[in-house]
Amino acid sequence: MKTWAPKIIVAATDGSEGSVRASQVAANIARAWGSKLLLVTVVRPPEGWWGIGGAPPTATALTKALDDAQQEALDSTLGALDLEDVDYETVEELGDPAATIVGFCEQNNADLLVIGRRGAGLIERFILGSVADRLVHYAPCPVMVVPL
């Protein structure tokens, strides 16, 4: 009987407490199995964040805002992780979080996706569905949902 041994583990983080906890679990699994850990953060470009009737931001301002959001998510996650003896990379993506993470897992032949269970507001969940819920349904690999 062949034993499952993950080679590539993807941990999705948005810097929230739940995603940081999931990243901690992913790092521990990667260390235990000698797996590669890919810490990915996805920022959704804002739609109309300048307000009704306002001018859209300049390309430079938008790029800086998105870069800052990604760096903040990664910094808060990396600051909470023990990555000693873990082969890891950080990845920054733009787009719809669920769709981008699914595509990232497909492109990188992920063996495991580790995510936090984070409750979206009722209206957001009703309209969009939670990112975690969509990942559980569409990821091309097993998904571990880590509670706080």
Side-chain angles (χ1 to χ4, degrees):
M1 181 176 185
K2 206 170 192 179
T3 303
W4 178 73
K7 293 180 181 146
I8 303 292
I9 298 173
V10 174
T13 185
D14 61 5
S16 66
E17 186 178 355
S19 69
V20 169
R21 174 73 181 120
S23 296
Q24 291 168 331
V25 169
N28 290 335
I29 294 169
R31 183 180 302 103
W33 285 96
S35 309
K36 173 102 178 193
L37 176 62
L38 301 176
L39 291 164
V40 63
T41 185
V42 180
V43 173
R44 180 190 308 268
E47 298 172 17
W49 67 297
W50 49 88
I52 296 174
T58 64
T60 302
L62 180 58
T63 299
K64 179 168 179 9
L66 296 173
D67 286 346
D68 289 351
Q70 288 174 320
Q71 197 58 55
E72 185 178 325
L74 286 174
D75 287 348
S76 64
T77 301
L78 290 172
L81 297 182
D82 172 10
L83 292 169
E84 186 174 338
D85 298 325
V86 176
D87 179 17
Y88 76 95
E89 289 179 23
T90 60
V91 180
E92 300 171 14
E93 297 282 347
L94 292 175
D96 171 70
T100 302
I101 293 166
V102 166
F104 183 81
C105 288
E106 289 170 347
Q107 292 169 355
N108 289 278
N109 297 313
D111 296 300
L112 178 64
L113 171 60
V114 183
I115 59 174
R117 181 185 71 199
R118 184 177 142 204
L122 182 60
I123 292 173
E124 181 180 343
R125 180 177 299 273
F126 179 72
I127 295 171
L128 300 173
S130 75
V131 172
D133 184 62
R134 289 170 45 210
L135 289 172
V136 166
H137 284 90
Y138 298 109
C141 59
V143 179
M144 176 184 284
V145 181
V146 178
L148 278 179

